[in-house]
Amino acid sequence: MESQEFRRFGKEVIDLIADYIENVRDRNVLPSVEPGYLLKMLPEEAPEQPEHWHDVVKDVHNTILPGLTHWQSPQFHAFYPAGHSYASILGSMLNDGLSIIGLSWKASPVCTELEVITMNWFGKLLGLPEEFLNCSPGPGGGVIQGSASESTLIALLVAKDKTIRRLNIVDHIDDEDEIKPKLVAYTSDQCNSSVEKAGLLGSMKIKLLKTDANGRLRGETLKKAIEEDKAMGLIPCFVTATLGTTATCAFDPLYELGPICNRENVWLHVDAAYAGPVFMCPEYRHLMKGIEYVSSIVTNPHKWMLVNFDCSAMWLKDGRDIKRAFDVKRIYLDDTENNLNIPDYRHWQIPLGRRFRSLKLWTVMRIHGAEGLRKHIRSQISLALHFAKLVGADDRFLIEPEPSMGLVCFRLKDGDKTTQQLLENLTRKKKIFMVAGLYRTRYVIRFVVCSALTTKEDVEYSWDVIKIETDLMYTNLIHTLPQIKTMDEILSREMYEKLQ
Amino acid sequence: MESQEFRRFGKEVIDLIADYIENVRDRNVLPSVEPGYLLKMLPEEAPEQPEHWHDVVKDVHNTILPGLTHWQSPQFHAFYPAGHSYASILGSMLNDGLSIIGLSWKASPVCTELEVITMNWFGKLLGLPEEFLNCSPGPGGGVIQGSASESTLIALLVAKDKTIRRLNIVDHIDDEDEIKPKLVAYTSDQCNSSVEKAGLLGSMKIKLLKTDANGRLRGETLKKAIEEDKAMGLIPCFVTATLGTTATCAFDPLYELGPICNRENVWLHVDAAYAGPVFMCPEYRHLMKGIEYVSSIVTNPHKWMLVNFDCSAMWLKDGRDIKRAFDVKRIYLDDTENNLNIPDYRHWQIPLGRRFRSLKLWTVMRIHGAEGLRKHIRSQISLALHFAKLVGADDRFLIEPEPSMGLVCFRLKDGDKTTQQLLENLTRKKKIFMVAGLYRTRYVIRFVVCSALTTKEDVEYSWDVIKIETDLMYTNLIHTLPQIKTMDEILSREMYEKLQ
């Protein structure tokens, strides 16, 4: 494709994207395809001869779009948001257009420096303690990773390395192989799957401690687990606390966990993948009380902060730890260390190569401004509260636990099976998309305000769809069971469950 | 930013990218900035109020572009290429515009299925044995990762898990902690830093075995190392062979390493990050002789195959291994396994989230066609050979080892210090960018044909720059040392080195 063609086709793609976003509300959020649909539609071999761009575009319309789950649809309420904004897309286009790989400062100075700057900006917006930022006099700093999974794995590996070094020096244990099997990590039973996976990948035992009635890992629980393990000769090494759990958006009390970790020389990592950006709004900062005890924290602008996937923001209180753990030298990677707090980021991550990801974080912060970003967060929270109000007014439903951020968990009073049936029916109809969660072993439906396009009317539409489906479910029940005449009888949980 | 604005600004960015690429030849490949330059130019805080896109663009021109090392410049000959093509950018734009996260089939069926299809296409183009492909009846398959580093780490971790399971069953060793410290990985002293790092991250001893005179890891060397380690009670677990080393683009003989690994139950992983795409051309397939012995292979379309970073293609002979090692269940991630060879890719990788990366691999293969891609590879190799011819005609220089693919390693006969001085002078002048390598402990300059824009004239220009700089270096030498009158005397290595 020549430059002139790119100018033409690129502009057509801009329109295609804008058209898609403008009309995404009209599509079913879930696609109507069966597994293997695309395998049947596309050829089995790559074309031998070059094809025309317009033939590719035809296939985008006929084969790609029909197989999408529309994460940007205002009726997408599953998982957590996939960040999206026009400002971010423009930043990402610049990244692709310039196409550099920032594997060292010299490999593109601006790639390292804009990352330092945007991570300072973002950290300040969140109200993080200064020591986490590159602009502080200390060894702390921020870095953009690909995902919270990667960030958590890195934190675990660095904690492991640091603990081994400490035991080498303090306790004169020279044999790493003696230490490694004794290391233990802790997190809560509400942790994201990525935290458990980090233990698996990083070869460290990980214990999922029981949370309290509100889904929070409490200090007492951690303290007891650490004491028990130490008594058994194990070595506590790493804790992941969650600010905004995946299931119910619960916030672990850092002010309880932090002092214990500090006392025990345990690395405290915070997974705030979804909820982190809420700290841009001062009225929510009490939820990160105790942040000063933390060794590392990760939050994903690519979830709730309008930045396109992937862009995972991680800060460490001491960047020297990460460099000590991951440094591998090569002559072709010669980069002289400098004293300007400009890190060699390749030591801060798993891959060697680095995309120029700060560009989209930069364009989003500039085009929206701190004010615009706060407005976005607050508006999504208020939409979730509006949904909760609608659900709360229908006495067939229970909201449990309390709504938190953009998430509302609810269930039918009738019990797990009915609730599960409702979610399955809704998913089959493809008009709205939600997924399940567990709260105190009860099956709940998670409703998350995800798309930046979602309005009050969209939320009301989603609620209408849920209500109608619920009506229908109970009506069908009456028809299939003629001996039962009243809704009251239907609502008897025991009776209903027999039907499942 | 509203939709209408995006239509306007997005089209301006398309032109900005096309302008940049059309004129990148006129820029110095290396930037003229000092560390910290951007920190001085940009504000210390994010803007409170939204800014106008045109103000961002002004900063792109005034602050971003001046700090770039231009990887797409025809005078960029460092490291290995950073893939770039208009077709890839369009695919990437679609990914950003649609902005889905393919964390399961249901989360966007097309994301999983297009990845299966494009990895089948690409694997067939490379002539991989059918058993590596999803379209085969067996359990093999391809997946797109972010980097070769990630792919190699995953392969190592899966090998570790598989070995532990085997020893559990076969040798009835139940205690993982007894096995883990005994596991050993092998690679060559020419391996990429990411391979060594995989051992570090994956907590496995890794031995960098000595290569032969041509930078290749030989079967005899591996066999001896394995035997010695087994005699010491260690457990050989994982080997990474390289097809196209970073320093000199050497190819390890898989036909020697493979039978040993198979016999010893050792996982053989192949790092063909750069050179892999050459196997699209049948005349180079002898370099992967023995591929049928391999357990996993990775190559990066984002290097030499015109796909923008990041897109790392990995195939496994048995995808069940990876799923067994990495599966972590959650209720909100419910995805029913199907029998159609459509994998749950989230078990195949470190992160949970997945970008729709196959889009750009798909657009590149369609717009260029297999024929266009082969032409690109062959043309870059012939440009490298043209460069080698120019260097070879100047008797101040030596080419060592033989040119391989797009890489030519050369040095001044005068020795390491002179060669290093030449590279430093050239880097200081910023007209062309190359990095150093080591060949048989000698310092060599690596010249790689990287940019897809590079022409024969560009190669000749680069050579002229090198030649003039060399002339200048020797002339300066004459002036600073008036007692030495002739070039012959200067060329005496001992004398010249005294001056350094």
Side-chain angles (χ1 to χ4, degrees):
Chain A
M1 190 183 292
E2 296 303 313
S3 200
Q4 284 312 313
E5 291 172 302
F6 172 71
R7 289 181 195 267
R8 191 172 133 223
F9 302 147
K11 289 166 191 176
E12 290 172 9
V13 172
I14 292 290
D15 282 327
L16 190 158
I17 293 170
D19 291 344
Y20 171 76
I21 292 296
E22 283 174 6
N23 301 304
V24 69
R25 186 175 273 109
D26 303 334
R27 293 176 186 267
N28 278 347
V29 59
L30 282 163
S32 298
V33 297
E34 294 298 317
Y37 90 98
L38 195 65
L39 297 168
K40 288 180 203 129
M41 293 177 90
L42 295 187
E44 287 176 16
E45 317 250 348
E48 181 61 24
Q49 300 297 323
E51 294 187 80
H52 195 282
W53 176 252
H54 286 163
D55 290 326
V56 177
V57 172
K58 251 180 240 158
D59 279 349
V60 169
H61 287 291
N62 298 335
T63 68
I64 304 297
L65 296 185
L68 281 180
T69 299
H70 302 284
W71 284 62
Q72 303 313 321
S73 160
Q75 271 74 54
F76 184 97
H77 302 297
F79 312 113
Y80 274 132
H84 181 283
S85 66
Y86 289 131
S88 171
I89 297 176
L90 297 180
S92 188
M93 284 169 64
L94 287 173
N95 165 59
D96 279 323
L98 304 175
S99 191
I100 58 95
I101 299 186
L103 48 80
S104 64
W105 182 85
K106 206 192 206 166
S108 255
V110 67
C111 181
T112 300
E113 298 203 13
L114 192 66
E115 189 158 332
V116 168
I117 291 166
T118 50
M119 287 299 289
N120 284 338
W121 283 12
F122 185 30
K124 286 179 186 176
L125 282 188
L126 295 178
L128 290 185
E130 203 203 358
E131 54 186 331
F132 286 99
L133 308 182
N134 280 95
C135 52
S136 75
V143 58
I144 301 179
Q145 309 279 3
S147 61
S149 307
E150 200 180 326
S151 305
T152 301
L153 174 61
I154 287 169
L156 179 138
L157 292 171
V158 177
K160 187 176 179 177
D161 180 77
K162 195 175 179 177
T163 305
I164 291 172
R165 271 189 292 110
R166 180 170 55 81
L167 294 177
N168 283 164
I169 296 165
V170 181
D171 296 351
H172 307 289
I173 311 177
D174 288 333
D175 187 5
E176 287 193 13
D177 297 335
E178 198 184 310
I179 300 172
K180 281 180 187 167
K182 294 183 186 159
L183 298 176
V184 198
Y186 306 89
T187 186
S188 88
D189 56 17
Q190 297 297 305
C191 75
N192 184 269
S193 60
S194 62
V195 180
E196 202 178 334
K197 195 162 171 178
L200 205 65
L201 296 168
S203 268
M204 198 186 295
K205 279 182 226 5
I206 185 156
K207 299 196 173 179
L208 275 54
L209 305 177
K210 211 171 142 42
T211 45
D212 71 7
N214 296 309
R216 307 187 311 156
L217 174 60
R218 304 301 299 265
E220 270 309 308
T221 312
L222 176 66
K223 191 163 162 254
K224 203 165 147 245
I226 288 181
E227 278 165 8
E228 282 173 9
D229 284 343
K230 280 168 68 182
M232 287 175 64
L234 297 177
I235 306 166
C237 171
F238 184 71
V239 170
T240 299
T242 312
L243 296 183
T245 58
T246 307
T248 64
C249 203
F251 288 72
D252 290 339
L254 301 182
Y255 52 90
E256 288 183 8
L257 305 173
I260 300 167
C261 292
N262 283 198
R263 200 164 51 233
E264 300 285 348
N265 268 315
V266 166
W267 184 291
L268 178 55
H269 173 67
V270 171
D271 173 6
Y274 162 67
V278 86
F279 303 123
M280 290 193 292
C281 309
E283 66 271 29
Y284 293 102
R285 288 205 187 138
H286 63 278
L287 292 169
M288 68 167 179
K289 189 181 154 195
I291 188 74
E292 66 279 8
Y293 294 109
V294 161
S295 304
S296 56
I297 174 167
V298 60
T299 185
N300 291 344
H302 70 231
K303 283 200 170 68
W304 204 15
M305 215 183 86
L306 303 174
V307 180
N308 278 60
F309 187 60
D310 49 0
C311 177
S312 177
M314 180 189 197
W315 290 270
L316 290 113
K317 207 182 260 170
D318 192 344
R320 291 171 305 188
D321 295 330
I322 205 165
K323 191 170 168 182
R324 272 189 213 111
F326 293 166
D327 194 358
V328 175
K329 292 199 188 311
R330 283 297 184 278
I331 184 172
Y332 49 84
L333 292 173
D334 163 51
D335 44 16
T336 355
E337 199 69 46
N338 56 64
N339 298 314
L340 280 157
N341 259 353
I342 298 170
D344 285 335
Y345 275 134
R346 70 187 169 88
H347 303 304
W348 291 54
Q349 59 174 21
I350 294 171
L352 173 58
R354 320 196 75 235
R355 256 183 309 145
F356 196 175
R357 278 189 285 229
S358 60
L359 269 174
K360 58 186 174 186
L361 185 56
W362 185 60
T363 52
V364 165
M365 287 197 274
R366 292 194 62 178
I367 293 305
H368 291 268
E371 193 183 78
L373 293 171
R374 281 189 217 107
K375 200 173 140 195
H376 166 68
I377 297 289
R378 287 176 181 137
S379 132
Q380 298 235 315
I381 294 174
S382 80
L383 288 172
L385 291 175
H386 183 59
F387 177 79
K389 214 178 79 188
L390 297 170
V391 179
D394 186 324
D395 59 12
R396 294 172 296 183
F397 289 93
L398 262 182
I399 294 178
E400 260 188 352
E402 283 295 296
S404 174
M405 306 304 133
L407 170 67
V408 181
C409 295
F410 65 101
R411 58 186 175 90
L412 279 162
K413 288 178 182 163
D414 255 358
D416 290 355
K417 281 190 183 170
T418 331
T419 308
Q420 187 170 0
Q421 186 63 56
L422 173 62
L423 182 59
E424 280 170 16
N425 291 356
L426 285 165
T427 305
R428 212 175 302 119
K429 301 264 171 84
K430 304 173 194 306
K431 293 288 178 196
I432 63 174
F433 184 28
M434 302 177 291
V435 293
L438 279 183
Y439 175 67
R440 297 188 195 177
T441 75
R442 301 299 297 258
Y443 185 99
V444 295
I445 300 176
R446 297 170 70 264
F447 174 96
V448 188
V449 179
C450 285
S451 166
L453 303 170
T454 310
T455 62
K456 204 174 156 202
E457 289 68 37
D458 291 314
V459 167
E460 286 165 0
Y461 170 82
S462 291
W463 168 242
D464 284 344
V465 171
I466 295 167
K467 209 174 49 183
I468 290 166
E469 192 57 45
T470 311
D471 294 345
L472 203 63
M473 197 169 74
Y474 284 125
T475 315
N476 283 345
L477 208 54
I478 293 168
H479 289 306
T480 53
L481 261 194
Q483 73 273 28
I484 302 176
K485 293 288 178 254
T486 68
M487 277 304 271
D488 279 354
E489 286 176 272
I490 303 277
L491 283 172
S492 137
R493 183 175 163 175
E494 293 73 19
M495 189 166 296
Y496 186 71
E497 282 188 355
K498 274 186 208 144
L499 306 172
Q500 302 297 307
Chain B
M1 189 183 294
E2 296 303 313
S3 201
Q4 284 312 313
E5 292 173 300
F6 171 71
R7 288 180 195 269
R8 192 172 131 222
F9 302 146
K11 290 166 192 176
E12 290 172 7
V13 173
I14 292 290
D15 282 326
L16 189 158
I17 293 171
D19 291 345
Y20 171 75
I21 293 296
E22 283 174 6
N23 300 304
V24 69
R25 187 175 273 108
D26 302 334
R27 293 176 186 266
N28 278 348
V29 59
L30 284 162
S32 298
V33 297
E34 294 299 317
Y37 90 98
L38 194 65
L39 297 168
K40 287 180 202 130
M41 291 178 92
L42 294 187
E44 287 175 17
E45 317 250 346
E48 182 60 24
Q49 301 297 323
E51 295 186 80
H52 195 282
W53 175 252
H54 287 164
D55 290 326
V56 177
V57 171
K58 250 181 243 158
D59 279 348
V60 169
H61 287 292
N62 298 335
T63 68
I64 304 296
L65 296 185
L68 281 179
T69 298
H70 303 284
W71 284 63
Q72 303 314 319
S73 160
Q75 271 73 54
F76 184 98
H77 303 297
F79 313 113
Y80 274 133
H84 182 284
S85 66
Y86 288 132
S88 171
I89 297 176
L90 297 180
S92 189
M93 284 169 64
L94 288 173
N95 165 58
D96 278 323
L98 305 175
S99 190
I100 58 95
I101 299 186
L103 48 80
S104 64
W105 182 86
K106 205 194 216 165
S108 255
V110 67
C111 181
T112 300
E113 298 202 12
L114 192 65
E115 189 157 331
V116 168
I117 291 165
T118 50
M119 287 298 289
N120 284 339
W121 284 12
F122 185 31
K124 285 178 188 178
L125 283 188
L126 295 179
L128 290 185
E130 203 203 358
E131 55 188 330
F132 286 100
L133 308 183
N134 281 95
C135 53
S136 75
V143 58
I144 302 178
Q145 310 278 1
S147 61
S149 308
E150 200 180 326
S151 304
T152 301
L153 175 61
I154 286 169
L156 179 139
L157 292 170
V158 177
K160 187 176 179 177
D161 180 77
K162 194 175 180 177
T163 304
I164 291 172
R165 272 188 292 110
R166 180 171 54 81
L167 294 177
N168 283 163
I169 297 164
V170 180
D171 296 350
H172 307 289
I173 311 177
D174 288 333
D175 186 6
E176 287 194 13
D177 296 335
E178 197 183 311
I179 301 172
K180 281 180 188 167
K182 294 182 188 160
L183 299 175
V184 198
Y186 307 89
T187 186
S188 87
D189 56 17
Q190 295 297 304
C191 75
N192 184 268
S193 60
S194 62
V195 179
E196 202 178 334
K197 196 163 172 178
L200 205 65
L201 296 168
S203 268
M204 198 186 296
K205 280 183 227 4
I206 186 157
K207 299 196 173 178
L208 275 53
L209 305 178
K210 210 169 144 40
T211 46
D212 71 7
N214 297 309
R216 308 189 308 158
L217 174 60
R218 303 302 298 268
E220 270 308 309
T221 312
L222 177 66
K223 191 165 163 251
K224 202 165 149 245
I226 288 181
E227 277 166 8
E228 282 173 10
D229 284 343
K230 279 169 68 182
M232 286 175 64
L234 296 176
I235 306 166
C237 171
F238 183 72
V239 170
T240 298
T242 311
L243 297 182
T245 58
T246 307
T248 64
C249 203
F251 289 72
D252 290 338
L254 300 182
Y255 52 89
E256 288 183 9
L257 306 173
I260 300 168
C261 292
N262 283 199
R263 200 165 50 234
E264 300 286 348
N265 268 315
V266 166
W267 184 290
L268 178 54
H269 173 67
V270 171
D271 172 7
Y274 162 67
V278 86
F279 304 125
M280 290 193 292
C281 309
E283 67 270 29
Y284 293 103
R285 287 203 186 140
H286 65 277
L287 292 169
M288 67 167 180
K289 188 181 155 195
I291 189 74
E292 65 277 10
Y293 295 107
V294 161
S295 305
S296 57
I297 175 167
V298 61
T299 184
N300 291 343
H302 70 232
K303 282 199 172 69
W304 204 15
M305 215 183 87
L306 303 174
V307 179
N308 278 60
F309 186 61
D310 50 0
C311 177
S312 176
M314 181 189 196
W315 290 270
L316 291 114
K317 206 181 261 172
D318 192 343
R320 292 170 304 189
D321 294 330
I322 206 165
K323 193 171 166 183
R324 272 188 212 111
F326 293 166
D327 195 357
V328 175
K329 293 202 187 308
R330 283 295 184 280
I331 185 171
Y332 49 84
L333 292 175
D334 164 51
D335 45 15
T336 354
E337 199 68 47
N338 57 62
N339 298 314
L340 279 158
N341 260 353
I342 298 169
D344 285 335
Y345 275 134
R346 69 187 171 89
H347 304 304
W348 291 55
Q349 59 174 22
I350 293 170
L352 173 58
R354 320 195 76 235
R355 257 182 307 146
F356 196 174
R357 277 188 286 227
S358 60
L359 270 174
K360 58 186 173 185
L361 186 55
W362 185 59
T363 52
V364 166
M365 286 196 277
R366 293 193 62 177
I367 293 304
H368 291 268
E371 193 183 78
L373 293 171
R374 280 187 217 108
K375 199 173 140 195
H376 166 68
I377 297 290
R378 287 177 180 137
S379 133
Q380 298 234 315
I381 294 174
S382 82
L383 289 172
L385 290 175
H386 183 60
F387 178 79
K389 212 177 82 186
L390 297 170
V391 180
D394 187 324
D395 59 13
R396 293 172 298 183
F397 290 94
L398 263 182
I399 293 179
E400 258 188 354
E402 283 297 296
S404 176
M405 306 302 133
L407 170 66
V408 181
C409 296
F410 66 101
R411 60 186 174 90
L412 280 163
K413 288 177 183 164
D414 255 358
D416 290 355
K417 282 189 181 169
T418 330
T419 309
Q420 186 171 0
Q421 186 64 55
L422 173 62
L423 182 59
E424 279 170 16
N425 290 356
L426 286 165
T427 306
R428 210 175 302 120
K429 301 262 171 87
K430 305 173 194 305
K431 293 289 177 196
I432 63 175
F433 185 27
M434 303 177 290
V435 293
L438 279 183
Y439 174 68
R440 298 188 194 177
T441 75
R442 299 301 295 260
Y443 185 99
V444 295
I445 301 177
R446 295 170 70 262
F447 174 96
V448 188
V449 179
C450 286
S451 166
L453 304 170
T454 310
T455 62
K456 202 174 158 204
E457 289 69 36
D458 290 315
V459 167
E460 286 167 0
Y461 169 82
S462 291
W463 168 243
D464 283 344
V465 171
I466 296 167
K467 209 173 51 180
I468 290 166
E469 192 56 46
T470 311
D471 294 345
L472 202 64
M473 198 170 73
Y474 284 126
T475 315
N476 282 346
L477 208 53
I478 293 168
H479 289 307
T480 53
L481 261 195
Q483 73 275 26
I484 302 176
K485 294 286 178 256
T486 68
M487 277 303 271
D488 278 354
E489 285 176 272
I490 303 276
L491 282 172
S492 137
R493 185 175 161 173
E494 293 73 18
M495 189 167 294
Y496 185 71
E497 282 187 356
K498 275 187 206 145
L499 307 173
Q500 302 297 307

